[in-house]
Amino acid sequence: MPTGNRGRKPLIATGLALLLTLSPLAAIRPSFAQSPEAPPYYAITDVRIVTGTGNTIDDGTIVVRDGLIEAVGANTDIPAGVWTLDGSGLTAYPGLIDAMTTIALPEGLRNARGGAGRGFGGPPGGFPGGGSLTQETDPDYSTGPLDRPATFTWVRAADEIETADGRIESWRSAGFTSALSAPERGLLPGQAALINLAGSKPSEMVVRANIAQRVNFQAGREFRGYPGSLMGGIAYVKQLFFDAAHYDRYWTIYDRDPNGVERPPYDRSLEPLRKTLNACELVMLPADWAREILRVLRIAREIGVNPVLYGGHQAYEVAPQLAATDVPILVNVDWPVRDPDGDPEEQTSLQTLRLRDRAPTAPATLHEAGVRFAFYSGDISRPSEIMRNVRLAIRAGLPAAAALHALTLGAAEIFGVDDRLGSIEPGKIANLILAEGDIFTPDGKIRQVIVDGHRFEIEESDAGDATRGTVAGRPSGATGARGPGRGFDGPGGPGGPGGPGGRGSGDDAEETTPYEPVPMVSDRGPVRSSATTLIRGGTVMTVANGIIENGSVLVRDGKIAAVGQNINAPADAAVIDASGKFVIPGIIDAHSHIATEAVNEGSVSVSAMVGIEDVIHPDQISIYRALAGGVTTVNVLHGSANPIGGKNAVLKLRWGADAEGMRFEGAPPGIKFALGENTKRERSPGRYPNSRMGVIDVIRQTFIRAQEYREEGRRYEQALSDGDDNAIPPRRDLVLDAMVEIMEGRRLVHAHSYRADEILQLLRTAEEFGFRIQTLQHVLEGYKIADEIAKHGAGASTFSDWWAYKVEAYDAIPHNAALMTERGVTVSINSDSGEEMRHLNQEAAKTVRWGNASEEDALKMVTLNPATQLGIADRVGSIEEGKDADLVIYDQHPLSVYAVVQLTMIDGDVYFDREHDRQLRDQIAEEMRVLTEKHGPRPEDGREPAAPTDPGTQEDAGNAGVNR
């Protein structure tokens, strides 16, 4: 642009010049006030410009023409004949971007509850996708992934824009000129669009369509059928993207040469995903807690998509891992707070209190780690709270410049529209804010908002919310009438100014003080770590090689280096005095449901597509409690709602590690089967099977399908080797993948069972298809057929003395474990309970009392035998040189009812120490007291804070509904 005298302005009518002199930025009523479709040509002069690129111009000019920024600078010539607006005393900012909303979308797309939403991928109830073999007619019930439940990938937000949404004006008046509008109902709600928050017609608002496909892993309470759990939702999303990749491959082959190739069926659910995969378009994945962030990063890699995460409240815990992936995250500034309408007597967990306290620090942590992020409003209904909560993040350490970046150019860069939005630069869309003062301080006041070159003057309500915008001094007709929006019904309406208080944190009086989170007690991870440790002077019960009195165990680099008497401590060793105490291998629970966010996918008869590893919850307090009971390894199983259930996860209880860090490296994968009452019980709608013989039929039919599936894969591989480029690959099926792994000995079967007749049926069915049942779980009538179990080679994982709690358990006896052991069956005692697992040593002792088992055999039932059943006996289960240093120290004989765990070690690190635990309790109680006072009921509630929860009262989420 040509330069010239900064102070020179073109001659304008005397009356207009006087008006501008008396009232900066007053309405000048240019022609576009009557016709918003024709943006004017004007210049804003003498204005401070925060460009959004890191540069600030203290006294500059912005020239706007045809809705675009024509020129920006300190010495910019003003073209002749343009309107000029005096910006003295004002600061220009780039227009703000709300990085995920439902603004301008109809109520039907804003409703998070999804219906069946079936596509055209296959007939409802298609068994190949893992659904029921037969299902009572219910058009709203999804019987498997081929029903495409709650899937609306073809829905485009850009095609559904409604200008009547009252939030358009409300958000714009708060400085937001653009928003990512994304449907939210269902599992895959559809394609998000970037819109500008002005325009008389929907087509004028769309900046870019098809920004991203949104994903939810759960579809809401009103969804019926599959998927019915978090792990089912994850499995469904995986299968859908695998189906999309297969669909794309099939159509590519067909389009290349259709001659002689069967035409693939059209599937409107998969068609949009072809472009998503091929063009690496963004896929928005939910991830609020740290465990969810790490989980979705793994899932994104598995399904091969280009992810952007949304949520981010606990991102402060995993910022370095997120930075290493260069995956961006949208941070929800609707910070978690206590529900003012909730139960005042509710005892909130330490985990939740910490999240409330530290969520506002997440942006600063992400910024320091170099993570790309943007802000979105979440469920906030009053836009003033968005900026208030952003200011809270600034008080918590986020630089104001980084906050502006997250609301402008950072969001534009994530969505690939930084060539047109996000900063004040020539050629970009004229989306601007003109404000008095700093918009990131409570005193900052927005005076005008410019969208696509159209100017809107802002009026402020008594409540402090900017409520109305006028175009050149007249009420705007650009957005039409107000709609209810999401908790907003205009000024003074529900959730709006004059309504109930918002969800923001803090008040204006606090906004000038730094935000300091409450210091966290270090209650995760090993209590002590040492490369070399000597446990000496104790009674070492090796399980495999007898008992060593006054024995010692030398641990080096996480492994048992030596076992015996008279072992000298190396110079660098930490020494643990076990005099008068007993040392045993870490206890292993072969049947558990702790540390998981979901247990059953009971909506279908075959749920082999789901897996516990997708829903590991590494922060559940049940993990620490298990360590306090001497448990070091658990087999976390799917529930027993299906003849063929989901995949298991074998975990080492490394308290403080993430889900991946808890996985038992190298443990063979397994799966849960189930027989009997739980699988055939009455359901609504009815589900096959509803008889015990039907259960075996489901299992048999699934393996017949798996044989065909395996053969189909072999034929395809042969065709490729023969040079057939038009060979159609088989559709990958997560259910049948697992079945093939079982038949090929690569996945172990752990089968819930009770009655002897059903157990025999299952053993014979397995032999029919050439595989072996690894472990019979519960197996309460195992004593009746112990010889047959031993001959098959199955293990038995049973209760010590549970019986008669339902009809199929009536014939159970407390001698079961000992009798099966006598007949050569490898027997373990399991808990199936987060409480009972903490005294499995005593449960094992009952086999001595009831069945005259030896003490060594009893200990094997909770150490070496479950290790054998899980295929990890080469690593754990006994105290032998070369094995993992998973050890427990008791103060008395471990089979005594008076025995108490003093220390639990995993991989040579101490994860539980009773003396340390006593000290820790007081520290945590004090932290909880402070957190409860800070985040409990506020004085205006007129309530006293609830008493702090005991540090260990968190519920074990996901255990409800497990059926013995």
Side-chain angles (χ1 to χ4, degrees), residues 755-757 759-760 763 781-790:
R755 285 178 23 174
D757 55 343
I759 293 170
L760 290 177
L763 298 182
E781 292 187 15
Y783 65 93
K784 296 181 179 180
I785 51 170
D787 290 340
E788 289 82 356
I789 294 172

Side-chain angles (χ1 to χ4, degrees), residues 6-93:
R6 176 64 187 82
R8 181 167 57 85
K9 299 180 176 65
L11 182 62
I12 307 178
T14 303
L16 178 59
L18 179 61
L19 177 62
L20 290 172
T21 301
L22 296 175
S23 179
L25 289 180
I28 57 179
R29 298 185 184 276
S31 61
F32 80 89
Q34 303 301 324
S35 178
E37 290 77 10
Y41 191 15
Y42 60 90
I44 306 168
T45 64
D46 300 314
V47 66
R48 179 174 179 267
I49 305 170
V50 178
T51 66
T53 63
N55 298 322
T56 299
I57 302 170
D58 289 329
D59 186 12
T61 296
I62 304 170
V63 180
V64 176
R65 181 174 188 172
D66 297 331
L68 300 176
I69 299 171
E70 185 171 273
V72 180
N75 299 298
T76 299
D77 272 349
I78 302 171
V82 305
W83 298 104
T84 60
L85 293 85
D86 184 2
S88 301
L90 299 176
T91 298
Y93 293 92

Side-chain angles (χ1 to χ4, degrees), residues 86 99 102 304 493 654 860 877-878 893:
D86 184 2
T102 59
R654 302 182 182 104
K860 281 183 178 180
S878 60
H893 193 291

Side-chain angles (χ1 to χ4, degrees), residues 759-772:
I759 293 170
L760 290 177
Q761 280 184 311
L762 180 63
L763 298 182
R764 291 164 182 163
T765 301
E767 291 164 2
E768 175 186 344
F769 289 96
F771 68 92
R772 178 171 59 88

Side-chain angles (χ1 to χ4, degrees), residues 219-243:
R221 293 176 299 169
E222 293 187 9
F223 177 71
R224 287 172 56 78
Y226 176 80
S229 67
L230 173 60
M231 61 182 166
I234 292 171
Y236 173 72
V237 170
K238 289 181 181 180
Q239 184 67 70
L240 188 74
F241 277 96
F242 292 150
D243 285 351

Side-chain angles (χ1 to χ4, degrees), residues 354-375:
R354 284 175 170 173
L355 182 70
R356 290 178 186 171
D357 193 51
R358 292 191 171 260
T361 71
T365 308
L366 292 170
H367 172 69
E368 292 169 5
V371 177
R372 294 181 292 141
F373 68 96
F375 288 136

Side-chain angles (χ1 to χ4, degrees), residues 32 36 38-44 49-51 61-72 85 92-97 172 175-178 194-199 204-205 207 408 417-434 448-456:
F32 80 89
Y41 191 15
Y42 60 90
I44 306 168
I49 305 170
V50 178
T51 66
T61 296
I62 304 170
V63 180
V64 176
R65 181 174 188 172
D66 297 331
L68 300 176
I69 299 171
E70 185 171 273
V72 180
L85 293 85
Y93 293 92
L96 306 182
I97 301 172
R172 184 180 62 227
F176 288 90
T177 59
S178 304
L194 201 288
I195 62 173
N196 272 351
L197 299 183
E204 295 174 349
M205 297 175 64
V207 176
T408 55
V417 293
D418 51 308
D419 57 349
R420 65 202 79 173
L421 289 177
S423 59
I424 305 176
E425 296 180 88
K428 290 194 173 183
I429 296 171
N431 285 1
L432 307 168
I433 298 171
L434 298 174
Q448 276 205 18
V449 175
I450 299 171
V451 184
D452 277 320
H454 301 298
R455 296 183 298 108
F456 299 85

